[in-house]
Amino acid sequence: MNYDYSICTRGIKNNAFTNEPGKVRYLKSPRQEGVRVLPEHEIPVGAWVEEVRDLADGIADSRVCEGGDVLIFVHGYNNTLETIGRRQRYLTEDLAAEGYKGLVIAFDWPCADATLNYLEDRWDAAKVADKLVTKGIQLIARGQSAGCATNVHLLGHS
């Protein structure tokens, strides 16, 4: 089974993600149409990083840090978790069709699925923006100091 990897900064209430900021969670969700991203998909950060670095070269062979590429997809406002997951799958499929062998992960920040919520979503985005750098980019890139050649790319969508 294939999986999608994401970094989620949404809060949790009643075992479901909310539209408000929360702690950083590292998720590994089954890559299937109709499968919702759930809090139970959280895995320990060490395991998440190891798997992401391993898959970065497009070969699931447990040779951690042999190189490769990780694209971090940052969604815009007014998106549901389902929409974000669908876009992540489309990006993965479309880039693979063009020869990209790396991994696409999503950075999910808390936003509502309502145009009129734009100002609050902007504040929420500002509250978690540093997490993209400290708990995402730096976390993956940290292996470069140990000889890991994983390239980190960013794609923002609004």
Side-chain angles (χ1 to χ4, degrees), residues 1-8 25-38 41-43 48 51-52 55 71 73 81-93 102-107:
M1 173 182 292
N2 290 325
Y3 294 93
D4 287 318
Y5 293 81
S6 58
I7 300 169
C8 182
R25 291 178 172 79
Y26 298 88
L27 307 176
K28 176 183 177 181
S29 308
R31 183 180 298 155
Q32 287 178 255
E33 193 64 40
V35 171
R36 295 177 52 103
V37 177
L38 301 169
H41 294 147
E42 183 176 6
I43 64 173
W48 187 91
E51 289 181 34
V52 164
L55 295 170
L71 175 85
F73 164 57
L81 284 166
E82 291 76 21
T83 300
I84 296 159
R86 190 170 46 252
R87 288 187 178 145
Q88 182 181 12
R89 285 190 296 278
Y90 291 160
L91 270 171
T92 298
E93 293 166 5
L103 183 66
V104 176
I105 65 170
F107 178 81

Side-chain angles (χ1 to χ4, degrees), residues 45-46 48-50 52-54 56 63-68 70 133-152:
V45 63
W48 187 91
V49 170
E50 184 174 325
V52 164
R53 286 187 184 148
D54 179 37
R63 289 182 303 147
V64 177
C65 289
E66 289 296 319
V70 174
V133 176
T134 61
K135 303 292 186 177
I137 298 167
Q138 287 179 351
L139 185 66
I140 297 166
R142 214 173 273 146
Q144 292 174 343
S145 63
C148 179
T150 302
N151 299 303
V152 180

Side-chain angles (χ1 to χ4, degrees), residues 11 14 17 28 31 37 47 62 74-75 84 111 121 129 132 152 158:
N14 298 326
F17 288 112
K28 176 183 177 181
R31 183 180 298 155
V37 177
S62 73
V74 183
H75 65 82
I84 296 159
C111 67
D121 286 348
L132 171 60
V152 180
S158 184

